[in-house]
Amino acid sequence: MSKTLTPTKARDLAIRLASARPDEALSVARGIEAPWFRCQALSHVARHWPDERYSRLLEEAILAADCQEDIFNRVAVSAWPIRAYLERGNGPPAKELLIKYVAASGAIENMGSRSEALFSIFQASKPFDTGLWRPVFWALVAAAEPALSWRQLRNLRDAVAMVASDHDELVHQVFEKLSEPKNLSTVRRYLGQHTMQQPRSYF
């Protein structure tokens, strides 16, 4: 069925089917040739899979992510299987993946893209245990400088806003680690407006 659909539409179809018709959703997801969308679709199916075999489907999703040549794509799309593991209450493999992809993000030469990829996996992990997302957060802060892209500042600003309400001590440490005036002034101004952010939803 998915062979006649664009990767985006096939992914969306798998998502719609995932809860009520998981076997059909899996067939659609596996038929998606584009690895990015196959990873997302398999993650959705796994998130709603009715038994413990969901873990095997997430392993397939990771294989799809890792078969991409572009390291940015590998890191960024890993947010979906990471989040699926966490929503299924399975923290250990999610933690392993976070460690793996934070390390891999260092090979993303474009600083804006590096920040974007880290922000993706940060949002995937933020609603869960602090020990999961804290290393991602600091990698994201480190990726804010040297500031070469507007995406770095936006992601830094929003990530800090996501932790400010319940981890004020981290905000103070962020200011100690930053050196570029634009970063410092923008984040301070943003927090001064009492603007808080919530991570995006994945499923």
Side-chain angles (χ1 to χ4, degrees), residues 4 9 11 83-84 86 89 93 101 120 122 125 135 147 179 192:
T4 63
K9 289 183 177 179
R11 177 203 59 194
R83 183 59 171 260
L86 291 171
Y101 289 112
S120 181
F122 169 72
S125 56
S179 60

Side-chain angles (χ1 to χ4, degrees), residues 105-117:
S105 71
I108 303 174
E109 295 184 3
N110 182 287
M111 294 302 292
S113 296
R114 184 185 301 181
S115 172
E116 196 81 0

Side-chain angles (χ1 to χ4, degrees), residues 49-128:
W49 196 257
D51 59 43
E52 292 304 307
R53 287 178 293 173
Y54 79 86
S55 186
R56 295 182 183 178
L57 304 184
L58 290 176
E59 290 172 7
E60 286 188 44
I62 291 297
L63 288 174
D66 285 346
C67 78
Q68 300 175 105
E69 291 186 10
D70 191 312
I71 184 62
F72 166 80
N73 288 344
R74 296 203 295 272
V75 176
V77 82
S78 74
W80 276 263
I82 287 169
R83 183 59 171 260
Y85 272 122
L86 291 171
E87 290 195 9
R88 297 291 307 231
N90 194 352
K95 184 174 183 178
E96 290 180 8
L97 292 172
L98 287 165
I99 293 170
K100 169 185 172 179
Y101 289 112
V102 166
S105 71
I108 303 174
E109 295 184 3
N110 182 287
M111 294 302 292
S113 296
R114 184 185 301 181
S115 172
E116 196 81 0
L118 286 165
F119 189 52
S120 181
I121 61 175
F122 169 72
Q123 290 190 89
S125 56
K126 174 60 180 68
F128 300 89

